[in-house]
Amino acid sequence: MSKKTFKALISRGFDSQLAQSIIDKGLTLNKLKQYHSEELLELGIDKAKVESILSEQRPPIPSETVIKLLYESKRTCCICRDSSRSIIIHHIKEWHKSKDHSEENLVVLCLEHHNDAHTKKGLSLNLTEKEIRESKMKWINTVKNKDALTILGLGSQEFGGRWDYFNHNRIFEMYLNKKLNNFGYRTTYTVQQKNLINDLGTFSIEDEDKTQYYSFGDGFMLYYYMKELFDDVLKTIPLIDITDKYNREDIRALIRPGKFISFQGGFYFKDVSNKRSGKNQRHLCYYQKDKIRMEFEFDAYETTSNSAWGSHLRGKK
C-alpha cells in the first residue's frame, strides 16, 4: 500500500519527503480526501494541494509515467544529482498553460531547484526550460548504463565472479552491429595465435562430443577473451534492473519489446532434452512470483565451465 500511496502523492505534486511522512502516519490518498482542509494543512500540505486533493481539479500524472520517470532518474534531481535530497516531479511547461502530463514535459527536481524553476532573477528564470531539458537528457544518459556497470562488477569480482553461460551468437551479433573491436583486450593476441578466433573477433560454436564448449586445453583462455568481449558489449546496453520491481505495474511501465533487463533471484533449471553432450542440450530456466513468470531456454553446451554445466545451472539456485 505504501508504494501505491507514494506514487499517488508524487503524481499530484507532493515532494518525496512530505509523501513519506504522510505514509509514515499510516495515511493513504483516500484517507486524506476524508480530512477537513484544516487537518490537511496541519500535516504540512500547502493550501493549493489541499484544494486539489479535496476537489481533484487537476488529473494526476499517469502511474506508468511516474514509475518510468522515477526509474530513469534514480529518484534524483537532474540538476544537482544529489540523491539525499527530497524530490518532486516538475512540469517543464507549467500545467495551467500546457495541460501536459507527458513524460517529455516532466522532470525530477529537488525542492531547491524546483524553486529555482519557478522564481526569477531579474527578468529571467533562475532555471530556464532549455537548461532543465538539457540537464534531464544528460542525467538520463548518465543513469542508463549504471545497471550495466553494476552487472559488470558482479561478473568481475575477484572470487566467484564469473559468467556461467554466454549466448554466443547473440553477443557476437551485438558486438558486430555496434562496430566494437578487440584491440585493447589482454587476451586477443594469445587467442589469435592459437587460431581460436577469426579476423572479425568471433568464433564458431562447433558441435563436439563433450559436455560444454570450453572443455579443452585452452578453453580457459577463450573464456577470458569472451568475458572481455561481453563486458565491452554490456557497456553499450542500457539495462533495466527489475530485481526490486517484480510486480505487474512496474513491469508494464518499464518494459517494452526489444529492451534488455537484468534480474537477480532464485531460478529453477530443468533439462528438457535429456542430451548430455554436444549442441542442443536444451534447458529451461524460470522464475515465478506473484503469478508473474519469467522464463527462457538455453543450450547447456554454451556454459562456460564444468561447474556451470554440472552444478550452477541445475536444480534451484
Side-chain angles (χ1 to χ4, degrees), residues 232-296:
D232 217 11
V233 169
L234 198 55
K235 291 173 186 175
T236 70
I237 300 173
L239 288 173
I240 300 173
D241 186 3
I242 62 169
T243 302
D244 62 348
K245 296 170 179 61
Y246 202 77
N247 61 79
R248 293 182 186 277
E249 186 179 28
D250 284 4
I251 288 173
R252 283 173 179 153
L254 296 173
I255 298 177
R256 296 289 183 273
K259 296 292 185 182
F260 292 91
I261 67 170
S262 63
F263 180 81
Q264 297 181 59
F267 283 87
Y268 289 87
F269 297 90
K270 182 180 180 182
D271 185 347
V272 295
S273 67
N274 293 318
K275 195 176 178 188
R276 305 289 288 180
S277 64
K279 293 174 70 173
N280 299 316
Q281 299 177 51
R282 291 172 50 232
H283 284 221
L284 176 69
C285 174
Y286 67 92
Y287 175 89
Q288 186 162 332
K289 181 182 178 183
D290 297 333
K291 298 183 179 180
I292 305 172
R293 183 180 174 100
M294 180 196 318
E295 72 172 39
F296 58 91

Side-chain angles (χ1 to χ4, degrees), residues 168 172 196-198 201-205 213-214 222 225-226:
H168 293 83
F172 289 149
L196 296 176
I197 63 174
N198 56 35
T202 67
F203 53 88
S204 298
I205 304 298
Y213 180 73
Y214 292 88
L222 188 59
Y225 170 80
M226 189 64 198

Side-chain angles (χ1 to χ4, degrees), residues 18 119 127 170 195-196 245 253 269 317:
L18 178 57
T119 56
L127 197 54
R170 183 70 178 106
N195 294 317
L196 296 176
K245 296 170 179 61
F269 297 90
K317 303 298 179 187

Side-chain angles (χ1 to χ4, degrees), residues 61-62 65 69 91 99-107 136:
I61 301 169
T65 303
L69 272 171
H91 286 79
K99 300 295 189 289
D100 183 7
H101 273 337
S102 69
E103 184 184 350
E104 292 72 23
N105 192 44
L106 298 169
V107 64
K136 176 184 176 182

